Amino acid sequence: MTTRASPKLPATCSNERASPSSASPPTARKPYGALEISVSDDGVGGTDPRRGSGTIGLQDRIDVLGGSMEVASRAGGGTTLRVTLPG
């Protein structure tokens, strides 16, 4: 599958609600056949799926694959997203 940027949108888009932050490089490992992915940033934190933070759609996709997602996002402390997918 080839992914192409929309001619109407830049290849990288930002959400108006997103704050400036920097992300650490994602880490991935495969213990016991499962794939574990972790991504962190140093933004303002406070991600709340009940307010439509974008994590709802991601959680839906992970659920379909039989995986799990953990979000740690305290206000003022950045966000860490951990995803585990079965092998």
Side-chain angles (χ1 to χ4, degrees):
M1 179 175 150
T2 303
T3 303
R4 297 182 185 182
S6 167
K8 295 180 182 179
L9 296 174
T12 303
C13 298
S14 64
N15 184 329
E16 290 179 13
R17 296 179 294 179
S19 65
S21 66
S22 60
S24 63
T27 60
R29 57 189 207 122
K30 196 170 181 183
Y32 310 108
L35 176 63
E36 295 179 353
I37 303 164
S38 180
V39 180
S40 298
D41 71 26
D42 62 355
V44 298
T47 296
D48 184 354
R50 296 170 295 183
R51 295 186 315 166
S53 64
T55 56
I56 295 170
L58 183 57
Q59 180 69 63
D60 290 344
R61 289 165 179 81
I62 292 166
D63 287 345
V64 167
L65 296 172
S68 63
M69 181 175 80
E70 177 184 332
V71 178
S73 184
R74 65 181 173 82
T79 299
T80 298
L81 175 71
R82 290 182 193 90
V83 175
T84 303
L85 300 173

